[in-house]
Amino acid sequence: MKALVYEGAWQMPMRDVPNAEPGTGELKIKVETVGVCGSDVHGFKGTTGRRKPPIIMGHEFSGTVVTRGSDVKEYQIGDRVVVTPLLTCGDCDNCRAGFPNQCQNRSGLGVNLNGAYAEFINVPEKMVFRLPAEMSWEQGALVEPLAVGMHAVNLAPMALMDTVVIIGAGTIGLVTILAAKMRGAGKIIVTDVSEHRLDFAKRLGADVVINPAKQDAVEAVKAETNGKGAPVVIEAVGITATTKQSLLMARNGGNVVWIGNSDPEITINMQQIVTRELTVRGAYGFNDEFGLSIEAIRSKRVDPTVLIEKRATLAEGTQIVDALARGNADWIKVMLKP
Ligand SMILES: [Zn+2]
Ligand SMILES: [Zn+2]
């Protein structure tokens, strides 16, 4: 089968790779649509260190069951499905305590297990969810990023009508707007250096957009919050400049959730956290939010397909990821069809 194989920084050629039969309890899924994630683009540059070549990336996808391994219980050939990319053991303390995203034996499709930039993928049945008939393949491929935004919002203590700042209007920042609205956020302030992305933020319901390239973003947030800063700040970029801003934009005693995951090390002013008693926490992946994300889209509470700006074949994927990595393109969400 054809797959895009990440072989090292800036290298992801299409290769012929073995199309293995599914193992016990596994399903072979024909990938119908797979989304290009910002983390794949960063991974492609070889700077984050989380993806070790050779690996097939791609973790936001929907597909059709084409082969059942032995001992598969629930799914049949022809079923339309979406797959959570988080493989968890179900057995460790964290899994048992109800937060499998922190499974001590966690692995991830497209990160350290081969993912869905391929014609087919074999996955354990327990990672599979049904794609409701009224949802498109593309909506299925957007379940994962929406779940990430929903998880970040779930982790931020938030009262009805609280002001929320979202730093970064890439896919995750943008779906976080949708999630914050579902949670009952008040004024939503979004920052990004791309006017193009800020336009999307407005379309998705941001009340105020700020371009830090044009104005002091921290001052602008203060001006929007009576000089106090916001009770909730969600950082969806993950570099020093924006994590610094996330602290400065929070009001005293405020909550800051870091979901951005780009630079492995950043420099911040620790005293901002100590003396102003900020709560800073990380958010990674999702737990129940994956199923809830399916339901949020199915029930038309949100429709993240507005984020799709480009559709292409799998073969075009390498060029597309390269263009995104070089900053030669600024598509919010790209969908590939193997
Ligand atoms: Zn992703
Ligand atoms: Zn576990």
Side-chain angles (χ1 to χ4, degrees), residues 26-337:
E26 286 186 346
L27 297 165
K28 181 190 297 291
I29 291 163
K30 174 178 177 283
V31 179
E32 302 285 357
T33 298
V34 54
V36 174
C37 176
S39 68
D40 297 332
V41 175
H42 290 298
F44 176 76
K45 295 189 216 174
T47 48
T48 58
R50 294 173 63 228
R51 288 159 174 76
K52 303 261 184 282
I55 182 116
I56 301 169
M57 300 199 278
H59 57 267
E60 307 173 354
F61 65 103
S62 55
T64 308
V65 175
V66 290
T67 314
R68 303 167 82 233
S70 59
D71 263 354
V72 163
K73 308 238 163 19
E74 208 184 316
Y75 293 90
Q76 303 299 329
I77 289 168
D79 283 353
R80 302 168 79 243
V81 297
V82 285
V83 179
T84 169
L86 291 181
L87 177 61
T88 59
C89 74
D91 218 36
C92 70
D93 290 347
N94 289 341
C95 280
R96 283 167 187 268
F99 45 108
N101 70 330
Q102 292 306 324
C103 170
Q104 283 146 355
N105 308 301
R106 175 181 82 195
S107 41
L109 293 181
V111 179
N112 46 24
L113 299 170
N114 279 333
Y117 289 166
E119 291 178 279
F120 300 96
I121 183 171
N122 294 330
V123 297
E125 186 180 30
K126 67 177 181 180
M127 297 171 78
V128 174
F129 290 69
R130 281 186 198 285
L131 181 63
E134 57 267 54
M135 281 173 65
S136 66
W137 297 122
E138 289 182 343
Q139 285 179 319
L142 286 159
V143 165
E144 197 270 355
L146 177 62
V148 172
M150 288 171 69
H151 183 62
V153 167
N154 251 346
L155 292 180
M158 195 187 296
L160 195 64
M161 294 301 286
D162 263 352
T163 295
V164 179
V165 177
I166 298 168
I167 299 174
T171 296
I172 296 301
L174 292 170
V175 294
T176 302
I177 298 173
L178 300 176
K181 289 181 87 74
M182 281 196 275
R183 188 91 192 274
K187 188 190 281 182
I188 297 179
I189 304 171
V190 178
T191 76
D192 201 289
V193 292
S194 157
E195 288 297 322
H196 171 65
R197 287 166 185 247
L198 292 178
D199 283 343
F200 267 89
K202 274 190 233 159
R203 277 169 61 188
L204 290 178
D207 298 283
V208 179
V209 296
I210 297 167
N211 187 335
K214 295 188 178 164
Q215 59 180 317
D216 185 317
V218 174
E219 288 309 314
V221 166
K222 291 268 171 68
E224 290 290 338
T225 53
N226 299 323
K228 291 188 294 192
V232 177
V233 179
I234 299 176
E235 202 280 348
V237 181
I239 60 175
T240 293
T242 49
T243 40
K244 274 186 169 155
Q245 287 166 7
S246 71
L247 304 181
L248 295 168
M249 288 171 177
R251 77 174 181 206
N252 292 359
N255 285 282
V256 179
V257 178
W258 286 349
I259 188 172
N261 192 357
S262 301
D263 286 348
E265 295 199 16
I266 53 159
T267 309
I268 52 161
N269 181 337
M270 179 269 283
Q271 290 176 344
Q272 284 288 331
I273 300 172
V274 174
T275 61
R276 300 203 297 115
E277 296 197 329
L278 302 179
T279 300
V280 180
R281 68 165 300 166
Y284 182 82
F286 36 78
N287 291 315
D288 295 344
E289 292 91 352
F290 196 87
L292 297 174
S293 171
I294 295 174
E295 180 55 16
I297 298 172
R298 188 205 64 77
S299 61
K300 299 189 167 55
R301 283 174 169 77
V302 296
D303 185 8
T305 55
V306 294
L307 301 180
I308 302 172
E309 283 198 279
K310 186 164 181 66
R311 296 171 170 91
T313 62
L314 184 66
E316 294 168 298
T318 308
Q319 222 185 331
I320 283 168
V321 171
D322 188 85
L324 289 167
R326 289 179 201 280
N328 293 339
D330 191 23
W331 302 300
I332 304 283
K333 181 54 78 183
V334 179
M335 288 294 173
L336 303 178
K337 255 193 161 336

